[in-house]
Amino acid sequence: MSSPGAKMSVLIGERFACVRIAGRANFSSSIDFRTLLGALLEKGYRYFMLDLSECALMDSTFLGVLAGFGLKLNSPQPAPAHAAIELLNPNERISELLENLGVLHLFRVAHGPLVVPEGAYPCETPSTNPTKQEFTRACLEAHQTLMALNAANVARFKDLTQFLAEDLNRLKEQ
């Protein structure tokens, strides 16, 4: 589980959070990403921009975490009014993956320069140092989310989710 994950940097303003994701957004950075977005949402941030200008790729675990957050912001209950997540400058590969997995509709997509509101300032990004069990649970939940959002994903991830569920049970018994 030592695959290097994406580097994340955050700018926050009044109800605005911009997360720049650089490198490979994969399972190893997905827990920190989920923790970061959850903490920002709890603090009252409602508009999220993900600057993907330097993001080379996203694996299915990271995409599942992203889709779960998009689903949370798009659901009528208990999501706050006027909550949104915007993807800035996703490359063609990431856009195709979001489209093929049937989750692109959860996001606004924009292209162009990052426009940061006046008064925005850098924020620390958490590092959770997750265990193998936490990684496995996060991977399982991310793929279950993708399967729930699009029936076509069941065939793609059925065997993987079964393996992850069995692995998680073994880890719990240890």
Side-chain angles (χ1 to χ4, degrees):
M1 297 272 170
S2 62
S3 178
K7 288 189 172 225
M8 292 182 279
S9 56
V10 183
L11 287 174
I12 56 175
E14 188 178 334
R15 289 182 266 176
F16 164 88
C18 176
V19 180
R20 174 170 282 160
I21 301 172
R24 297 172 171 253
N26 59 20
F27 71 93
S28 65
S29 54
S30 65
I31 294 174
D32 287 345
F33 179 68
R34 181 181 65 190
T35 302
L36 171 65
L37 293 183
L40 291 169
L41 190 61
E42 277 185 26
K43 290 179 181 179
Y45 292 94
R46 300 294 176 248
Y47 182 79
F48 298 87
M49 177 173 287
L50 301 184
D51 181 358
L52 303 177
S53 302
E54 298 175 22
C55 184
L57 64 88
M58 289 184 181
D59 74 4
S60 57
T61 298
F62 197 93
L63 286 165
V65 170
L66 176 60
F69 191 70
L71 184 63
K72 184 176 190 173
L73 290 183
N74 284 293
S75 71
Q77 289 292 332
H82 308 294
I85 188 165
E86 186 170 329
L87 307 178
L88 180 64
N89 299 321
N91 65 33
E92 188 175 329
R93 185 173 182 186
I94 292 171
S95 294
E96 285 176 7
L97 284 169
L98 291 165
E99 181 69 34
N100 289 339
L101 292 173
V103 299
L104 188 58
H105 68 281
L106 297 172
F107 313 102
R108 295 179 187 160
V109 177
H111 295 278
L114 173 63
V115 179
V116 179
E118 191 174 316
Y121 57 94
C123 172
E124 288 290 318
T125 57
S127 182
T128 57
N129 220 6
T131 65
K132 181 168 175 29
Q133 185 174 341
E134 290 167 325
F135 268 127
T136 304
R137 183 180 305 108
C139 289
L140 176 61
E141 290 171 358
H143 289 89
Q144 288 171 331
T145 298
L146 292 172
M147 289 168 46
L149 284 168
N150 183 356
N153 291 334
V154 173
R156 290 180 180 123
F157 301 122
K158 183 178 77 168
D159 292 340
L160 177 60
T161 57
Q162 181 179 346
F163 170 78
L164 290 168
E166 291 169 1
D167 195 34
L168 185 58
N169 285 334
R170 275 191 296 274
L171 291 169
K172 286 179 183 178
E173 293 170 359
Q174 292 179 352

mmCIF file of all heavy atoms in Angstrom, residues 78-114:
data_model
loop_
_atom_site.group_PDB
_atom_site.id
_atom_site.type_symbol
_atom_site.label_atom_id
_atom_site.label_comp_id
_atom_site.label_asym_id
_atom_site.label_seq_id
_atom_site.Cartn_x
_atom_site.Cartn_y
_atom_site.Cartn_z
ATOM 1 N N PRO A 78 -29.185 15.255 3.701
ATOM 2 C CA PRO A 78 -29.241 16.509 4.437
ATOM 3 C C PRO A 78 -28.339 17.573 3.824
ATOM 4 O O PRO A 78 -27.894 18.479 4.508
ATOM 5 C CB PRO A 78 -28.747 16.117 5.815
ATOM 6 C CG PRO A 78 -27.708 15.072 5.531
ATOM 7 C CD PRO A 78 -28.200 14.343 4.286
ATOM 8 N N ALA A 79 -28.013 17.443 2.540
ATOM 9 C CA ALA A 79 -27.066 18.372 1.922
ATOM 10 C C ALA A 79 -27.559 19.810 2.022
ATOM 11 O O ALA A 79 -28.748 20.072 1.897
ATOM 12 C CB ALA A 79 -26.842 17.998 0.461
ATOM 13 N N PRO A 80 -26.650 20.715 2.231
ATOM 14 C CA PRO A 80 -27.018 22.116 2.353
ATOM 15 C C PRO A 80 -27.417 22.725 1.007
ATOM 16 O O PRO A 80 -27.008 22.244 -0.046
ATOM 17 C CB PRO A 80 -25.751 22.770 2.884
ATOM 18 C CG PRO A 80 -24.656 21.868 2.459
ATOM 19 C CD PRO A 80 -25.235 20.476 2.415
ATOM 20 N N ALA A 81 -28.198 23.771 1.068
ATOM 21 C CA ALA A 81 -28.602 24.475 -0.145
ATOM 22 C C ALA A 81 -27.378 25.109 -0.802
ATOM 23 O O ALA A 81 -26.440 25.512 -0.136
ATOM 24 C CB ALA A 81 -29.622 25.536 0.197
ATOM 25 N N HIS A 82 -27.402 25.154 -2.108
ATOM 26 C CA HIS A 82 -26.366 25.803 -2.908
ATOM 27 C C HIS A 82 -24.987 25.167 -2.736
ATOM 28 O O HIS A 82 -23.982 25.841 -2.854
ATOM 29 C CB HIS A 82 -26.297 27.299 -2.615
ATOM 30 C CG HIS A 82 -27.617 27.967 -2.736
ATOM 31 N ND1 HIS A 82 -28.285 28.079 -3.924
ATOM 32 C CD2 HIS A 82 -28.407 28.545 -1.807
ATOM 33 C CE1 HIS A 82 -29.431 28.703 -3.732
ATOM 34 N NE2 HIS A 82 -29.535 28.993 -2.463
ATOM 35 N N ALA A 83 -24.927 23.915 -2.438
ATOM 36 C CA ALA A 83 -23.642 23.216 -2.364
ATOM 37 C C ALA A 83 -23.285 22.746 -3.771
ATOM 38 O O ALA A 83 -24.152 22.361 -4.551
ATOM 39 C CB ALA A 83 -23.733 22.034 -1.411
ATOM 40 N N ALA A 84 -22.020 22.819 -4.098
ATOM 41 C CA ALA A 84 -21.598 22.399 -5.432
ATOM 42 C C ALA A 84 -20.142 21.980 -5.415
ATOM 43 O O ALA A 84 -19.363 22.414 -4.567
ATOM 44 C CB ALA A 84 -21.789 23.546 -6.429
ATOM 45 N N ILE A 85 -19.802 21.145 -6.359
ATOM 46 C CA ILE A 85 -18.413 20.772 -6.554
ATOM 47 C C ILE A 85 -18.103 20.946 -8.039
ATOM 48 O O ILE A 85 -18.850 20.488 -8.900
ATOM 49 C CB ILE A 85 -18.117 19.335 -6.057
ATOM 50 C CG1 ILE A 85 -16.629 19.036 -6.098
ATOM 51 C CG2 ILE A 85 -18.904 18.306 -6.793
ATOM 52 C CD1 ILE A 85 -16.224 17.816 -5.300
ATOM 53 N N GLU A 86 -17.036 21.667 -8.306
ATOM 54 C CA GLU A 86 -16.645 21.976 -9.672
ATOM 55 C C GLU A 86 -15.262 21.403 -9.931
ATOM 56 O O GLU A 86 -14.360 21.517 -9.100
ATOM 57 C CB GLU A 86 -16.627 23.490 -9.873
ATOM 58 C CG GLU A 86 -16.368 23.909 -11.294
ATOM 59 C CD GLU A 86 -16.603 25.393 -11.509
ATOM 60 O OE1 GLU A 86 -17.475 25.980 -10.822
ATOM 61 O OE2 GLU A 86 -15.909 25.959 -12.361
ATOM 62 N N LEU A 87 -15.112 20.790 -11.079
ATOM 63 C CA LEU A 87 -13.831 20.241 -11.501
ATOM 64 C C LEU A 87 -13.235 21.200 -12.516
ATOM 65 O O LEU A 87 -13.825 21.450 -13.567
ATOM 66 C CB LEU A 87 -14.020 18.859 -12.128
ATOM 67 C CG LEU A 87 -14.793 17.833 -11.299
ATOM 68 C CD1 LEU A 87 -14.929 16.528 -12.069
ATOM 69 C CD2 LEU A 87 -14.145 17.613 -9.951
ATOM 70 N N LEU A 88 -12.073 21.738 -12.193
ATOM 71 C CA LEU A 88 -11.417 22.695 -13.073
ATOM 72 C C LEU A 88 -10.298 22.016 -13.847
ATOM 73 O O LEU A 88 -9.401 21.417 -13.254
ATOM 74 C CB LEU A 88 -10.846 23.861 -12.248
ATOM 75 C CG LEU A 88 -10.115 24.954 -13.029
ATOM 76 C CD1 LEU A 88 -11.074 25.673 -13.979
ATOM 77 C CD2 LEU A 88 -9.463 25.940 -12.061
ATOM 78 N N ASN A 89 -10.382 22.079 -15.140
ATOM 79 C CA ASN A 89 -9.354 21.577 -16.059
ATOM 80 C C ASN A 89 -9.032 20.088 -15.910
ATOM 81 O O ASN A 89 -7.855 19.698 -15.878
ATOM 82 C CB ASN A 89 -8.070 22.403 -15.931
ATOM 83 C CG ASN A 89 -8.290 23.854 -16.279
ATOM 84 O OD1 ASN A 89 -9.018 24.165 -17.211
ATOM 85 N ND2 ASN A 89 -7.678 24.743 -15.524
ATOM 86 N N PRO A 90 -10.064 19.224 -15.831
ATOM 87 C CA PRO A 90 -9.728 17.797 -15.843
ATOM 88 C C PRO A 90 -9.178 17.430 -17.219
ATOM 89 O O PRO A 90 -9.653 17.953 -18.240
ATOM 90 C CB PRO A 90 -11.077 17.112 -15.588
ATOM 91 C CG PRO A 90 -12.091 18.087 -16.105
ATOM 92 C CD PRO A 90 -11.504 19.452 -15.843
ATOM 93 N N ASN A 91 -8.170 16.571 -17.245
ATOM 94 C CA ASN A 91 -7.646 16.166 -18.549
ATOM 95 C C ASN A 91 -8.636 15.214 -19.224
ATOM 96 O O ASN A 91 -9.622 14.772 -18.624
ATOM 97 C CB ASN A 91 -6.231 15.574 -18.435
ATOM 98 C CG ASN A 91 -6.183 14.282 -17.647
ATOM 99 O OD1 ASN A 91 -7.107 13.464 -17.650
ATOM 100 N ND2 ASN A 91 -5.074 14.062 -16.941
ATOM 101 N N GLU A 92 -8.379 14.913 -20.474
ATOM 102 C CA GLU A 92 -9.298 14.083 -21.257
ATOM 103 C C GLU A 92 -9.495 12.701 -20.628
ATOM 104 O O GLU A 92 -10.611 12.171 -20.601
ATOM 105 C CB GLU A 92 -8.769 13.944 -22.689
ATOM 106 C CG GLU A 92 -9.725 13.265 -23.626
ATOM 107 C CD GLU A 92 -9.218 13.247 -25.057
ATOM 108 O OE1 GLU A 92 -8.493 14.176 -25.455
ATOM 109 O OE2 GLU A 92 -9.556 12.283 -25.771
ATOM 110 N N ARG A 93 -8.444 12.147 -20.122
ATOM 111 C CA ARG A 93 -8.527 10.805 -19.523
ATOM 112 C C ARG A 93 -9.444 10.798 -18.302
ATOM 113 O O ARG A 93 -10.278 9.913 -18.143
ATOM 114 C CB ARG A 93 -7.124 10.333 -19.143
ATOM 115 C CG ARG A 93 -7.076 8.925 -18.634
ATOM 116 C CD ARG A 93 -5.651 8.482 -18.438
ATOM 117 N NE ARG A 93 -5.630 7.101 -17.991
ATOM 118 C CZ ARG A 93 -4.547 6.477 -17.624
ATOM 119 N NH1 ARG A 93 -3.376 7.098 -17.673
ATOM 120 N NH2 ARG A 93 -4.588 5.230 -17.224
ATOM 121 N N ILE A 94 -9.307 11.798 -17.428
ATOM 122 C CA ILE A 94 -10.155 11.878 -16.241
ATOM 123 C C ILE A 94 -11.611 12.123 -16.643
ATOM 124 O O ILE A 94 -12.522 11.483 -16.115
ATOM 125 C CB ILE A 94 -9.639 12.965 -15.274
ATOM 126 C CG1 ILE A 94 -8.298 12.531 -14.677
ATOM 127 C CG2 ILE A 94 -10.666 13.255 -14.177
ATOM 128 C CD1 ILE A 94 -7.585 13.611 -13.885
ATOM 129 N N SER A 95 -11.827 13.016 -17.594
ATOM 130 C CA SER A 95 -13.189 13.285 -18.067
ATOM 131 C C SER A 95 -13.840 12.028 -18.630
ATOM 132 O O SER A 95 -15.008 11.742 -18.355
ATOM 133 C CB SER A 95 -13.181 14.387 -19.132
ATOM 134 O OG SER A 95 -12.786 15.613 -18.571
ATOM 135 N N GLU A 96 -13.076 11.270 -19.418
ATOM 136 C CA GLU A 96 -13.594 10.025 -19.993
ATOM 137 C C GLU A 96 -13.925 9.003 -18.899
ATOM 138 O O GLU A 96 -14.944 8.315 -18.979
ATOM 139 C CB GLU A 96 -12.595 9.430 -20.980
ATOM 140 C CG GLU A 96 -12.544 10.158 -22.296
ATOM 141 C CD GLU A 96 -11.475 9.617 -23.238
ATOM 142 O OE1 GLU A 96 -10.838 8.582 -22.924
ATOM 143 O OE2 GLU A 96 -11.268 10.243 -24.299
ATOM 144 N N LEU A 97 -13.064 8.894 -17.894
ATOM 145 C CA LEU A 97 -13.337 7.961 -16.799
ATOM 146 C C LEU A 97 -14.625 8.339 -16.067
ATOM 147 O O LEU A 97 -15.458 7.473 -15.775
ATOM 148 C CB LEU A 97 -12.167 7.934 -15.811
ATOM 149 C CG LEU A 97 -10.935 7.167 -16.234
ATOM 150 C CD1 LEU A 97 -9.775 7.449 -15.275
ATOM 151 C CD2 LEU A 97 -11.226 5.674 -16.277
ATOM 152 N N LEU A 98 -14.794 9.623 -15.764
ATOM 153 C CA LEU A 98 -16.013 10.080 -15.088
ATOM 154 C C LEU A 98 -17.249 9.788 -15.937
ATOM 155 O O LEU A 98 -18.284 9.364 -15.410
ATOM 156 C CB LEU A 98 -15.912 11.574 -14.778
ATOM 157 C CG LEU A 98 -14.888 11.963 -13.711
ATOM 158 C CD1 LEU A 98 -14.621 13.455 -13.749
ATOM 159 C CD2 LEU A 98 -15.349 11.527 -12.332
ATOM 160 N N GLU A 99 -17.129 10.005 -17.231
ATOM 161 C CA GLU A 99 -18.245 9.743 -18.150
ATOM 162 C C GLU A 99 -18.524 8.248 -18.231
ATOM 163 O O GLU A 99 -19.671 7.800 -18.115
ATOM 164 C CB GLU A 99 -17.924 10.304 -19.542
ATOM 165 C CG GLU A 99 -19.022 10.096 -20.553
ATOM 166 C CD GLU A 99 -20.267 10.909 -20.282
ATOM 167 O OE1 GLU A 99 -20.155 12.038 -19.782
ATOM 168 O OE2 GLU A 99 -21.378 10.400 -20.564
ATOM 169 N N ASN A 100 -17.480 7.433 -18.420
ATOM 170 C CA ASN A 100 -17.648 5.982 -18.551
ATOM 171 C C ASN A 100 -18.206 5.334 -17.285
ATOM 172 O O ASN A 100 -18.923 4.348 -17.362
ATOM 173 C CB ASN A 100 -16.321 5.317 -18.937
ATOM 174 C CG ASN A 100 -15.913 5.626 -20.360
ATOM 175 O OD1 ASN A 100 -16.728 6.002 -21.194
ATOM 176 N ND2 ASN A 100 -14.630 5.498 -20.645
ATOM 177 N N LEU A 101 -17.861 5.895 -16.132
ATOM 178 C CA LEU A 101 -18.372 5.354 -14.875
ATOM 179 C C LEU A 101 -19.769 5.888 -14.550
ATOM 180 O O LEU A 101 -20.390 5.455 -13.581
ATOM 181 C CB LEU A 101 -17.408 5.661 -13.729
ATOM 182 C CG LEU A 101 -16.067 4.930 -13.799
ATOM 183 C CD1 LEU A 101 -15.125 5.448 -12.716
ATOM 184 C CD2 LEU A 101 -16.251 3.421 -13.668
ATOM 185 N N GLY A 102 -20.247 6.820 -15.352
ATOM 186 C CA GLY A 102 -21.600 7.334 -15.182
ATOM 187 C C GLY A 102 -21.756 8.283 -14.009
ATOM 188 O O GLY A 102 -22.831 8.367 -13.413
ATOM 189 N N VAL A 103 -20.695 9.026 -13.664
ATOM 190 C CA VAL A 103 -20.766 9.926 -12.514
ATOM 191 C C VAL A 103 -20.482 11.389 -12.863
ATOM 192 O O VAL A 103 -20.531 12.249 -11.989
ATOM 193 C CB VAL A 103 -19.829 9.462 -11.374
ATOM 194 C CG1 VAL A 103 -20.227 8.077 -10.881
ATOM 195 C CG2 VAL A 103 -18.369 9.471 -11.797
ATOM 196 N N LEU A 104 -20.230 11.678 -14.121
ATOM 197 C CA LEU A 104 -19.892 13.044 -14.525
ATOM 198 C C LEU A 104 -21.011 14.031 -14.191
ATOM 199 O O LEU A 104 -20.756 15.188 -13.871
ATOM 200 C CB LEU A 104 -19.566 13.086 -16.020
ATOM 201 C CG LEU A 104 -19.020 14.403 -16.559
ATOM 202 C CD1 LEU A 104 -17.735 14.808 -15.833
ATOM 203 C CD2 LEU A 104 -18.771 14.313 -18.056
ATOM 204 N N HIS A 105 -22.259 13.559 -14.217
ATOM 205 C CA HIS A 105 -23.401 14.438 -13.939
ATOM 206 C C HIS A 105 -23.402 15.011 -12.521
ATOM 207 O O HIS A 105 -24.121 15.968 -12.239
ATOM 208 C CB HIS A 105 -24.714 13.686 -14.181
ATOM 209 C CG HIS A 105 -24.953 12.596 -13.185
ATOM 210 N ND1 HIS A 105 -24.339 11.358 -13.260
ATOM 211 C CD2 HIS A 105 -25.717 12.562 -12.074
ATOM 212 C CE1 HIS A 105 -24.726 10.612 -12.246
ATOM 213 N NE2 HIS A 105 -25.568 11.328 -11.513
ATOM 214 N N LEU A 106 -22.594 14.475 -11.642
ATOM 215 C CA LEU A 106 -22.532 14.945 -10.257
ATOM 216 C C LEU A 106 -21.708 16.223 -10.105
ATOM 217 O O LEU A 106 -21.703 16.821 -9.029
ATOM 218 C CB LEU A 106 -21.934 13.860 -9.357
ATOM 219 C CG LEU A 106 -22.729 12.564 -9.250
ATOM 220 C CD1 LEU A 106 -21.917 11.515 -8.494
ATOM 221 C CD2 LEU A 106 -24.069 12.804 -8.588
ATOM 222 N N PHE A 107 -21.022 16.630 -11.165
ATOM 223 C CA PHE A 107 -20.075 17.737 -11.071
ATOM 224 C C PHE A 107 -20.310 18.769 -12.160
ATOM 225 O O PHE A 107 -20.806 18.460 -13.236
ATOM 226 C CB PHE A 107 -18.635 17.208 -11.203
ATOM 227 C CG PHE A 107 -18.374 16.018 -10.346
ATOM 228 C CD1 PHE A 107 -18.346 14.748 -10.895
ATOM 229 C CD2 PHE A 107 -18.177 16.168 -8.986
ATOM 230 C CE1 PHE A 107 -18.123 13.641 -10.092
ATOM 231 C CE2 PHE A 107 -17.947 15.073 -8.177
ATOM 232 C CZ PHE A 107 -17.927 13.803 -8.734
ATOM 233 N N ARG A 108 -19.888 19.981 -11.857
ATOM 234 C CA ARG A 108 -19.759 21.009 -12.882
ATOM 235 C C ARG A 108 -18.327 20.901 -13.377
ATOM 236 O O ARG A 108 -17.420 20.652 -12.597
ATOM 237 C CB ARG A 108 -19.973 22.394 -12.285
ATOM 238 C CG ARG A 108 -21.368 22.622 -11.773
ATOM 239 C CD ARG A 108 -21.476 24.006 -11.174
ATOM 240 N NE ARG A 108 -22.766 24.145 -10.535
ATOM 241 C CZ ARG A 108 -23.048 25.035 -9.629
ATOM 242 N NH1 ARG A 108 -22.120 25.897 -9.228
ATOM 243 N NH2 ARG A 108 -24.237 25.103 -9.096
ATOM 244 N N VAL A 109 -18.137 21.084 -14.665
ATOM 245 C CA VAL A 109 -16.794 21.029 -15.231
ATOM 246 C C VAL A 109 -16.499 22.381 -15.870
ATOM 247 O O VAL A 109 -17.340 22.935 -16.582
ATOM 248 C CB VAL A 109 -16.667 19.899 -16.282
ATOM 249 C CG1 VAL A 109 -15.286 19.902 -16.915
ATOM 250 C CG2 VAL A 109 -16.960 18.548 -15.648
ATOM 251 N N ALA A 110 -15.324 22.909 -15.584
ATOM 252 C CA ALA A 110 -14.908 24.196 -16.141
ATOM 253 C C ALA A 110 -13.484 24.080 -16.666
ATOM 254 O O ALA A 110 -12.701 23.237 -16.202
ATOM 255 C CB ALA A 110 -14.985 25.281 -15.069
ATOM 256 N N HIS A 111 -13.176 24.919 -17.613
ATOM 257 C CA HIS A 111 -11.822 24.977 -18.163
ATOM 258 C C HIS A 111 -11.374 26.429 -18.170
ATOM 259 O O HIS A 111 -12.175 27.330 -18.387
ATOM 260 C CB HIS A 111 -11.783 24.406 -19.578
ATOM 261 C CG HIS A 111 -12.102 22.945 -19.620
ATOM 262 N ND1 HIS A 111 -11.170 21.981 -19.361
ATOM 263 C CD2 HIS A 111 -13.258 22.295 -19.855
ATOM 264 C CE1 HIS A 111 -11.736 20.790 -19.444
ATOM 265 N NE2 HIS A 111 -13.012 20.957 -19.742
ATOM 266 N N GLY A 112 -10.107 26.648 -17.902
ATOM 267 C CA GLY A 112 -9.570 27.989 -17.889
ATOM 268 C C GLY A 112 -8.720 28.215 -16.653
ATOM 269 O O GLY A 112 -8.440 27.280 -15.889
ATOM 270 N N PRO A 113 -8.323 29.455 -16.444
ATOM 271 C CA PRO A 113 -7.467 29.750 -15.285
ATOM 272 C C PRO A 113 -8.254 29.691 -13.976
ATOM 273 O O PRO A 113 -9.462 29.931 -13.954
ATOM 274 C CB PRO A 113 -6.964 31.170 -15.558
ATOM 275 C CG PRO A 113 -8.015 31.773 -16.436
ATOM 276 C CD PRO A 113 -8.573 30.639 -17.254
ATOM 277 N N LEU A 114 -7.558 29.360 -12.926
ATOM 278 C CA LEU A 114 -8.148 29.358 -11.587
ATOM 279 C C LEU A 114 -8.321 30.802 -11.135
ATOM 280 O O LEU A 114 -7.367 31.572 -11.131
ATOM 281 C CB LEU A 114 -7.247 28.607 -10.606
ATOM 282 C CG LEU A 114 -7.642 28.659 -9.132
ATOM 283 C CD1 LEU A 114 -8.998 28.004 -8.911
ATOM 284 C CD2 LEU A 114 -6.581 27.981 -8.284
#
